[in-house]
């Protein structure tokens, strides 16, 4: 026989959850305030060191605040992170930096000529797919691209 929980048990649980949420929120706010205070102190010390001509090592970046809510998509698109040096997109940018409108097959040939190492038998297709996703590239016609 299954026993039903009383409504007072649910009320007690809700009260406990509300208190826990309030405590965690307060603790988080306190830590954020401490981080801001520490950042100001570190900046002041860095200025003092720089005034004396001392080398100031780069401070590790604070962790980026994540947006609340579900993540969009399941893939890592690299939005806003730039192009990784040595990647296919890096070589494409190098080839397109010469200016002018180029066909996908010419861009693929330029990527190989620039020194990109690949065993990909369909490199031109991979280049075309990468071009379509690159923010610094403008499509000007069917299979024709230029640097934006």
């Amino acid at each position: 026989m299954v026993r039903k929980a009383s409504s007072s048990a649910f009320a007690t649980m809700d009260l406990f959850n509300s208190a826990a949420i309030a405590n965690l929120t307060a603790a988080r706010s306190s830590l954020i305030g401490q981080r801001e205070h520490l950042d100001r102190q570190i900046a002041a010390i860095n200025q003092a060191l720089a005034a004396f001509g001392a080398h100031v090592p780069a401070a590790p970046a604070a962790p980026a605040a994540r947006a609340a809510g579900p993540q969009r998509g399941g893939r890592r698109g690299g939005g806003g992170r730039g192009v990784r040096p040595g990647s296919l997109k890096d070589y494409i940018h190098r080839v397109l930096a010469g200016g002018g409108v180029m066909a996908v097959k010419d861009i693929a040939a330029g990527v190989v000529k620039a020194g990109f190492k690949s065993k990909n038998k369909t490199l031109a297709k991979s280049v075309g797919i990468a071009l379509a996703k690159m923010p610094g590239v403008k499509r000007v016609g069917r299979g024709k691209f230029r640097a934006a």
Side-chain angles (χ1 to χ4, degrees), residues 12-64:
T12 304
M13 195 176 344
D14 287 341
L15 184 62
F16 176 76
N17 287 343
S18 297
I21 290 170
N23 287 338
L24 289 173
T25 303
R28 180 180 179 277
S29 296
S30 174
L31 289 173
I32 289 172
Q34 290 174 15
R35 178 179 16 183
E36 291 169 355
H37 179 71
L38 290 172
D39 286 341
R40 286 193 301 271
Q41 287 180 331
I42 291 169
I45 291 171
N46 286 345
Q47 285 179 341
L49 286 171
F52 284 113
H55 171 71
V56 179

